[in-house]
Amino acid sequence: MRLLTTTLALFLVAAAPAGANTFRQRLYDPAAGVMVVAHRGCHAAAPAHGFPSTAPENSLEALRRCIDIGVDIVEADVRRTQDGALVIMHDPSVNRTTDGDGLVSTLTLAQFQALQLEGGDEAPPTLEAFLRAARGRVMVTLHLKGPFAAQAAEVARATDASDWVLFKARAKEAMSPIADQPLYRDVAFMPMVGEGAARNADQLGAVITQQASGARAIPAVETRGLRSRGFAAVRDAAGAARVRVWINTLRMSSWKSFLGLSGDRRALRDPDTSWGRLIDKGVTIIHTDHPAQLLGYLKSRRLSEGVTIASAGEASTSSTTHAAFVAPR
């Protein structure tokens, strides 16, 4: 039986089981509460936490806010400059989010660092600077906007941040476990699964079973716009493999297709019928543009502290269960 500790001052995170002295350990324990992922950092206003205005997305300011608020994981978008440096930027160009213009891929690192983020007073960060600022304080998941996973992993190792970084890639039917690739030897890896990952929805579960069968464990599976049958198949397979189910609530379109939900917009008005329903369906990681509000909701229902989980045909409960996590059936 595990005990929960209410504080981990070093990491500035929500309560986690005793012994889970890294974010990575909590990530790999699906009974360790619902986890919150901040989309491009904590850029939305969070007045209850002392942030009445917005911050630039993918900025160090947005990262620091996440640490102060207590977010579990920060999502960051990674691109490569003309001279091969990895930097944090969502769009192909810098036009929307900075005072400059042009494609990231046509700018040198010096030109990129001379820019200023709109709505802030800092330059867009490099991947190295971002990981150094996050290291030991919050996990980071990288959305790589190009084929440079190996380079990103080397940056993580060079900054002594490999314990705090989560990589991901699309998995498909009959694909061998991606986590076993040498590239991911010392970083966390999570497969992503969408409707096109298998011939039909019922086969999507087999994709997860295969990805979880390797020598290196996976902590979670990210679902990508799955409909009802596909989501159920993935959730059941994840439950049997004892891994988390990750879903994002950023947009409205995919939710109406299988749960009748409206994502973040609905959640801000009625979290029980959006975030709450997802949790009741078996989701334990939620990716959102409103992490502060989600954390407040989880705290109100004590869902960040521990959950009851069960794989198909068997039940297993945390000794500090405070919320019902619907067992995959």
Side-chain angles (χ1 to χ4, degrees), residues 163-224:
D163 276 351
W164 316 101
V165 181
L166 173 63
F167 284 76
K168 57 186 181 179
R170 291 183 182 273
K172 294 186 178 180
E173 194 173 12
M175 185 180 288
S176 60
I178 303 172
D180 284 349
Q181 295 179 10
L183 163 64
Y184 303 113
R185 65 185 182 274
D186 57 355
V187 296
F189 173 82
M190 171 183 70
M192 300 184 294
V193 176
E195 287 287 332
R199 288 165 292 177
N200 57 64
D202 294 333
Q203 294 299 314
L204 289 172
V207 177
I208 303 310
T209 301
Q210 175 69 10
Q211 289 299 313
S213 69
R216 295 193 69 250
I218 59 172
V221 54
E222 180 177 348
T223 61
R224 308 278 291 187

Side-chain angles (χ1 to χ4, degrees), residues 2-312:
R2 289 191 178 96
L3 299 176
L4 290 181
T5 181
T6 56
T7 58
L8 279 176
L10 176 63
F11 300 138
L12 301 174
V13 295
N21 57 358
T22 70
F23 299 106
R24 185 159 163 164
Q25 286 176 292
R26 183 166 182 237
L27 177 67
Y28 279 83
D29 182 0
V34 179
M35 299 183 77
V36 176
V37 183
H39 181 233
R40 305 180 198 171
C42 295
H43 50 82
H49 294 271
F51 303 112
S53 59
T54 60
E57 66 181 50
N58 275 319
S59 65
L60 293 179
E61 179 184 352
L63 171 63
R64 289 189 292 268
R65 286 189 179 192
C66 285
I67 294 168
D68 288 343
I69 290 170
V71 166
D72 300 295
I73 304 172
V74 175
E75 185 248 10
D77 302 286
V78 182
R79 293 189 179 275
R80 187 156 55 190
T81 63
Q82 184 185 59
D83 47 355
L86 296 185
V87 295
I88 306 298
M89 180 66 55
H90 176 268
D91 298 358
S93 79
V94 300
N95 299 29
R96 179 178 65 87
T97 57
T98 78
D99 60 355
D101 58 73
L103 297 175
V104 175
S105 61
T106 65
L107 300 175
T108 65
L109 176 60
Q111 290 171 324
F112 184 85
Q113 292 185 303
L115 302 171
Q116 186 172 60
L117 289 167
E118 293 287 356
D121 57 1
E122 64 184 60
T126 63
L127 175 60
E128 179 181 351
F130 199 88
L131 294 183
R132 287 192 185 281
R135 186 180 63 199
R137 296 175 176 87
V138 67
M139 274 202 88
V140 175
T141 182
L142 301 179
H143 188 174
L144 302 176
K145 300 292 188 175
F148 31 76
Q151 183 180 355
E154 286 307 313
V155 173
R157 294 178 186 114
T159 55
D160 193 26
S162 55
D163 276 351
W164 316 101
V165 181
L166 173 63
F167 284 76
K168 57 186 181 179
R170 291 183 182 273
K172 294 186 178 180
E173 194 173 12
M175 185 180 288
S176 60
I178 303 172
D180 284 349
Q181 295 179 10
L183 163 64
Y184 303 113
R185 65 185 182 274
D186 57 355
V187 296
F189 173 82
M190 171 183 70
M192 300 184 294
V193 176
E195 287 287 332
R199 288 165 292 177
N200 57 64
D202 294 333
Q203 294 299 314
L204 289 172
V207 177
I208 303 310
T209 301
Q210 175 69 10
Q211 289 299 313
S213 69
R216 295 193 69 250
I218 59 172
V221 54
E222 180 177 348
T223 61
R224 308 278 291 187
L226 297 177
R227 296 183 178 87
S228 183
R229 273 178 66 186
F231 177 82
V234 168
R235 178 201 60 196
D236 290 355
R242 313 295 287 178
V243 301
R244 291 176 176 270
V245 176
W246 170 312
I247 210 161
N248 81 61
T249 58
L250 308 176
R251 293 174 294 276
M252 298 174 64
S253 58
S254 62
W255 306 111
K256 292 183 177 179
S257 65
F258 76 93
L259 290 180
L261 303 178
S262 300
D264 279 349
R265 289 189 186 181
R266 178 67 175 270
L268 294 178
R269 299 193 305 271
D270 186 1
D272 281 326
T273 62
S274 49
W275 291 330
R277 282 187 65 189
L278 286 173
I279 294 165
D280 290 341
K281 291 287 184 179
V283 172
T284 54
I285 303 179
I286 298 177
H287 188 176
T288 177
D289 272 322
H290 299 280
Q293 288 85 342
L294 175 54
L295 281 167
Y297 174 69
L298 296 178
K299 183 177 181 180
S300 72
R301 286 189 56 186
R302 302 184 73 181
L303 290 168
S304 61
E305 300 175 14
V307 293
T308 300
I309 63 172
S311 58

